Amino acid sequence: MTPPSEATEQTPPAAAIRTRKLNFWYGSFQALFEVDLEITAGIITSLIGPSGCGKSTLLRSVNRINERSGDVRTTGTIEVLGHDIHGERVELARLRQKVGMVFQRPNPLPISIRDNVMFGYRLQNPANSRNKSEQEEILEGSLRKVLLWDGVKDCLGRKATSLSLEEQQKLCIARLLPVKPAILLMDEPCSALDPQGTEAVEELIWELRGDFNILLVTHNMAQARRASEECVFMLMGRVIEHAPTVEMFVTPRNPQTSDYIEGRYG
Amino acid sequence: MFSPTALNLRNRRRERWFRSLFLLTTVILVFPVVAILGTLIAKGGPILSLEFLFTEPREGMTAGGIFPALLGTVLLVTVSLLAAVPLGVAAAIYLSEYAAESRFTRVINLAIVNLAGVPSIIHALFGLGAFVLFLDLGTSILAAGLTLAIMNLPILIVATVESLQAVPKAFREACWTMGATRWQTIRMVVLPNSLTGILTGIILAVSRAAGETAPIMFTGAAFFIPVLPESVFDQTMALSLHLFVVTTQVPGVPEALPYGVALTLVGVVLAFNALAIGFRTHLRRRKKW
């Protein structure tokens, strides 16, 4: 699956996610219209827009998690790192491992902290092929990466649901790491958190920058401004503007974008 | 300024009225339960003894114990649970977790709900035709247990589907995003978190299986058998049928005997339920969330 261009080494950085003429329907309601988007690899892109503009739907299309919502239909293509995710040989479980997702409300499983982090690892490694010391390493590494290790290292057997919301959300990021995702989709990851929690998780997201391609849906314009390098503005299921964050917030090209950013609706 | 108006006063009176009405109906509902249990204990209590529970009936069932019936009921309930629980849970998992919303699944759901409303005597005839005659199991514990299982499947399926669907979607999404398949999600997260609801369904099923008379009368329960069953292919006595028999079919039964049988039947159901409730509490305590 090596793109021929890689051999010539002249390509611009490949897109992390690329959609072509993407349309999406829930039953007879069309939620996305002709979305053409190229999410640059290696950076944080934020997705902003008023409620119901389709940003979560777009996000949930990238790991095909909204196919479980029943009567849905997609046309057009989505490529993740150059590979069509609707291809015939695509294994959904593989796709979802590569495209991890963090949800609006932290959703740790009602099991121990350790079991939460190792859940994905255990799915991939049948019981007999598990290496004890490797497991401990992965556990510690994942929790360190999300700045949670020092707080929980002495109580790894505790129920994950007994952690604070901020810690829970960090744990939800940590548990994605053992399955080695390439892309992290974050659906308003801070909206259930208090200001300190928001700050801490934002800092963490910024830390993860570079290791993962991050697509962040947010309601919070200040967050988009602080925490992302590129910004996509959506309205009524369409992409209105996609630009470097600084540019979009200082000199938006589209009047609808500037209206939204200035708070005239949304 | 804040003193009650005429309307307020009227509302207040109504409030009192309805409160008393609801209280009264609740008390009326409790009354039969207390009365039944009280009568059973008062009249049947004295006859209860280890000897009564664990010896065979004698002298044309007018004396002696009820052990064959007690054992029979326990066996019937056990066989019916062994058949109904795996089947019911599997069907519920399919309906709740796999089946897409379609005309077909709607028809199946409708059929299951309607099956729950079929009178038990119809299940009895079905059991007679299907298990006793067609599968040639004869009138046996197995045939009767399976008939009870069929009767209980709808309750189990409905209770299980409800408890599966009560598992938050967020848990499933958490599994999917780590690359879990449907079955892995069900096995590791959905089932463990719906076990308590499934056990509630099982409790209901036990009560019905132990108490029903009609379905087993045609399929495996006998009027009187002097020996204990040796295998599930034998006929058996059962408490529910025995109660019917000693109450209406045999002359010269001492008054306390039917009450003793009834009390034992209630006791068996409570014992099974206590087992399930104990298991449920144990699981809840282990889960802590």
Side-chain angles (χ1 to χ4, degrees), chain B residues 206 264-278:
Chain B
V206 166
T264 312
L265 180 55
V266 172
V268 168
V269 172
L270 288 183
F272 267 107
N273 290 357
L275 212 66
I277 290 170

Side-chain angles (χ1 to χ4, degrees), chain B residues 23 27 37 52 71 75 90 93 123 132 178 225 233-234 243 249 265:
Chain B
L23 178 66
V27 171
L37 279 180
F52 179 73
L71 179 71
L75 286 175
I93 288 176
H123 286 293
V132 178
M178 288 180 278
I225 304 176
F233 297 104
D234 288 344
L243 180 56
Q249 307 292 302
L265 180 55

